[in-house]
Amino acid sequence: MKGILISLIVTSLTSIVFWSPTGLAQEPRRQQLNRGLLAQNLGSPLEIRETLPPILQVGEVGEVREVSQGNSTLHRQTGEEQPFRPQRVPFRPRTNPQKKPTASASPGITIMTPSGYGASWGSAGLGLGLQERTRFTNNSDGVLGMGIGLGNARKSVGLSVGITVTDLLGNSFADGTMSLKLHRQLPENFGIAAGWQGALRWGETDGGSSVYGAISKRFVLKKSASEPFSQLSLSFGVGNGQYRSENNIQNNRDSVGVFGSVALRVAEPASAIVEWTGQDMTVGLSVAPFRNLPLVVSPAVTDITGSAGDGARFIFGIGYGFSFR
């Protein structure tokens, strides 16, 4: 079934074009805020710290007496001359600023199922999806996809547009689909989305058309993404089409199914993911292996429980992101 690969490739593109610019952008903003507060509270990088040279001082017995001043030194009444010299003290912040993240991509939060997040204007990506074999056959398969973000999910609404080519051998580009996803980022790391997978189809595709809604929530468990087990992401959704059970699809029952995923960021470049696709369970990883390259790979095993298909199968997705803002 190419529908599984289409889901894989669309999700891989979302991992690149959303999580690369957004998942890591919050840490630099916090860093800028800390720097601003430090600048307000502590002044310029180099300060002159000195004791004010009073013109009048209170003596030991309470009397007020004058302190004579020369051109460049101050004199006390003790009779012993002690020159006053202002000192330049280097700026030392009371707290260390947060370490600036160096990775250019972050791991995704789903393998095949949609999330409540998506791409906005300025983000685009390319992706490739492969499966060891299709259901009920011994034939391997692959699809190629590309995606772009429009709008602004933070200020209003974003639109992710994905185009998938489902025939890589023979008459290339003869078969394919276009998918659409409207999404909005909400406070407290929530995201909601409504999508139409296979909104436009040409040639021979077996994935059909699916409409869905999804919501996601990211929990920050540690202060820095460089720490182990730093984030937990939950996603839940409802959809028709390929999100129905295999039995309902085979019997052509008009119904809806539920899907969801749990992703734990076990290390800065990797997340472990378990998800229910609406038909069966998928377990895998999403990994950003290179710090300075916006590349995410997602190896996984699907159809684990046997409720769909004819046994577990290996699938693999890879995405590469671009930013043109």
Side-chain angles (χ1 to χ4, degrees):
M1 292 179 62
K2 292 183 182 292
I4 290 177
L5 285 181
I6 293 173
S7 299
L8 176 64
I9 199 67
V10 170
T11 304
S12 296
L13 289 172
T14 302
S15 299
I16 286 290
V17 299
F18 171 72
W19 286 106
S20 295
T22 307
L24 293 179
Q26 294 180 359
E27 293 188 34
R29 281 199 295 272
R30 288 196 296 265
Q31 179 182 3
Q32 292 171 3
L33 177 62
N34 290 342
R35 286 177 175 170
L37 292 175
L38 286 172
Q40 271 187 345
N41 295 336
L42 300 180
S44 60
L46 285 178
E47 291 182 335
I48 298 178
R49 304 185 183 275
E50 58 185 39
T51 303
L52 292 177
I55 301 303
L56 298 177
Q57 288 187 347
V58 179
E60 294 180 357
V61 292
E63 80 275 16
V64 177
R65 60 195 182 199
E66 289 188 7
V67 178
S68 59
Q69 301 184 62
N71 292 332
S72 59
T73 60
L74 297 176
H75 301 272
R76 296 182 181 177
Q77 288 290 355
T78 60
E80 182 179 1
E81 183 175 305
Q82 295 183 356
F84 173 80
R85 296 184 179 87
Q87 295 180 350
R88 298 183 70 85
V89 180
F91 173 72
R92 294 184 179 90
R94 285 187 285 256
T95 58
N96 294 327
Q98 294 183 0
K99 182 181 178 181
K100 184 178 179 180
T102 57
S104 58
S106 293
I109 62 171
T110 65
I111 299 292
M112 295 169 55
T113 58
S115 73
Y117 307 113
S120 296
W121 175 248
S123 299
L126 297 174
L128 177 68
L130 302 170
Q131 58 181 331
E132 170 196 9
R133 63 177 183 85
T134 61
R135 283 178 179 171
F136 306 106
T137 76
N138 292 319
N139 301 323
S140 58
D141 201 4
V143 297
L144 179 68
M146 58 203 76
I148 190 170
L150 304 172
N152 190 317
R154 292 183 181 277
K155 295 182 178 180
S156 54
V157 66
L159 173 63
S160 299
V161 181
I163 297 176
T164 305
V165 178
T166 61
D167 189 4
L168 299 184
L169 301 177
N171 190 8
S172 300
F173 298 96
D175 308 321
T177 67
M178 182 176 71
S179 300
L180 304 173
K181 181 180 184 181
L182 287 171
H183 53 93
R184 169 74 168 155
Q185 286 183 247
L186 301 175
E188 304 298 328
N189 293 322
F190 275 101
I192 57 173
W196 187 2
Q197 192 160 298
L200 177 65
R201 292 169 287 163
W202 63 92
E204 297 181 3
T205 62
D206 59 8
S209 178
S210 306
V211 177
Y212 64 86
I215 182 170
S216 296
K217 163 69 174 176
R218 181 167 60 110
F219 298 90
V220 179
L221 308 179
K222 302 288 182 64
K223 293 182 178 180
S224 173
S226 62
E227 298 182 65
F229 310 107
S230 61
Q231 297 173 6
L232 177 69
S233 298
L234 305 179
S235 297
F236 174 80
V238 177
N240 62 9
Q242 71 177 50
Y243 302 110
R244 299 173 293 165
S245 68
E246 186 180 63
N247 184 57
N248 284 344
I249 292 175
Q250 290 175 344
N251 291 282
N252 199 27
R253 294 194 185 101
D254 188 12
S255 62
V256 297
V258 297
F259 58 87
S261 66
V262 178
L264 178 62
R265 194 163 182 178
V266 295
E268 184 174 11
S271 292
I273 302 170
V274 178
E275 64 183 19
W276 180 260
T277 65
Q279 300 181 17
D280 211 320
M281 181 178 290
T282 301
V283 175
L285 297 172
S286 181
V287 182
F290 307 108
R291 283 189 172 274
N292 299 312
L293 192 66
L295 182 76
V296 173
V297 296
S298 302
V301 178
T302 191
D303 291 350
I304 292 176
T305 68
S307 66
D310 58 338
R313 298 173 298 116
F314 177 74
I315 58 176
F316 182 80
I318 182 170
Y320 186 87
F322 306 91
S323 180
F324 51 87
R325 282 182 292 186

